[in-house]
Amino acid sequence: MASRPVQVNLTAEDELALGAFWAAALGWESESEAPGVINLLPAGLAWPSPDALTMDLVRVPAGDPVRYRSHLDLATRSLEHQARWVRELLALGARRIDVGQGEVPWEVLADPEGNVFCVLEPRPEYATTGPIAAVVTECSDVAGLKAFYAAATDWVLVDDEEDFVSFRSPSGVGPFVEFLQVPEPGRFPTRLHLDLKAYPGSSAREEAARLEALGARPTDTAPAGASWVTLLDPEGNEFCVLAEG
């Protein structure tokens, strides 16, 4: 039985401040799950839901060196909406950043802790995703990650190109999970990674064992006694498998 993507995990030196930024940026509600952990989700969402990949912000020590190769793309409805949203994000504490993008129709920003994200120009494929258009992961071998995540999750392959693939919930709603092949993955990394959730009837550890058989590798970054399992995909991108339910 496959897992499904359910949320993104963003480690933060100040989860309250960064959570306040992203809650305001996305127009989502903020909940305290435990000391050092903040949940962000749309109002009224019954989690887990394919309608949204929610966000967990987890406190880490100042100067923590952990960096991932995933970032968020935000969806806009019009050029006016894009411009207005960028102004609002800058007022909240984001800043423009140059990652070598050149002249492009999207805006590249960094949140108050330096995590890079993009505010896209309006695109038809993201018209129904909600504020998060996609979770994008840079990679060296897009074909290898396509094969892994096609077997690891029950999400459907939507776009299949030589250097880019995207997956979406089989319900055809919510954001995309995308993999982009680039010469230097993670050159401008973030602290964002993807969380998968096992379906009822399969524990996190059972699902982790299945994923390891597909090419994932174990890692020891989860705290002792955690209900989730932390793995590395075939390119070394960390992700978590959450308990069933």
Side-chain angles (χ1 to χ4, degrees):
M1 181 176 291
S3 300
R4 75 278 203 195
V6 293
Q7 68 185 21
V8 291
N9 183 295
L10 183 60
T11 57
E13 295 181 6
D14 185 342
E15 80 286 357
L16 295 176
L18 195 59
F21 168 84
W22 279 107
L26 300 173
W28 286 3
E29 294 183 340
S30 175
E31 300 176 353
S32 177
E33 177 181 327
V37 182
I38 298 294
N39 303 140
L40 303 182
L41 69 167
L45 183 79
W47 187 86
S49 169
D51 290 319
L53 292 175
T54 59
M55 185 180 291
D56 260 14
L57 291 101
V58 181
R59 185 191 309 155
V60 293
D64 188 287
V66 174
R67 290 291 186 272
Y68 303 118
R69 300 190 295 185
S70 299
H71 71 267
L72 296 181
D73 279 352
L74 305 185
T76 62
R77 300 183 298 274
S78 66
L79 292 177
E80 180 184 4
H81 178 216
Q82 182 190 26
R84 183 175 68 252
W85 202 1
V86 167
R87 290 195 299 270
E88 293 170 353
L89 290 163
L90 294 173
L92 288 170
R95 68 181 189 277
R96 286 188 169 88
I97 188 168
D98 184 357
V99 296
Q101 68 269 26
E103 293 294 326
V104 293
W106 59 88
E107 294 269 7
V108 183
L109 305 179
D111 73 16
E113 289 202 8
N115 300 293
V116 175
F117 65 99
C118 298
V119 184
L120 303 179
E121 76 284 4
R123 302 183 189 181
E125 61 267 36
Y126 301 136
T128 61
T129 61
I132 296 177
V135 180
V136 184
T137 299
E138 296 179 349
C139 62
S140 299
D141 177 16
V142 74
L145 287 190
K146 176 183 75 172
F148 174 77
Y149 282 97
T153 77
D154 65 350
W155 279 29
V156 176
L157 184 65
V158 176
D159 200 345
D160 186 1
E161 303 176 20
E162 183 177 355
D163 60 356
F164 173 82
V165 298
S166 68
F167 293 88
R168 199 180 193 191
S169 162
S171 301
V173 298
F176 293 76
V177 169
E178 301 176 346
F179 299 93
L180 176 65
Q181 186 167 303
V182 297
E184 297 180 74
R187 183 182 173 198
F188 297 96
T190 70
R191 287 180 167 182
L192 183 86
H193 72 260
L194 193 64
D195 285 347
L196 309 182
K197 192 171 181 62
Y199 280 97
S202 178
S203 71
R205 298 200 177 278
E206 289 171 336
E207 182 60 11
R210 186 185 73 87
L211 295 171
E212 287 183 43
L214 293 173
R217 291 178 284 128
T219 184
D220 58 1
T221 56
S227 61
W228 65 91
V229 179
T230 305
L231 298 174
L232 303 176
D233 73 15
E235 281 216 3
N237 300 300
E238 186 171 296
F239 66 98
C240 294
V241 182
L242 308 182
E244 65 174 295

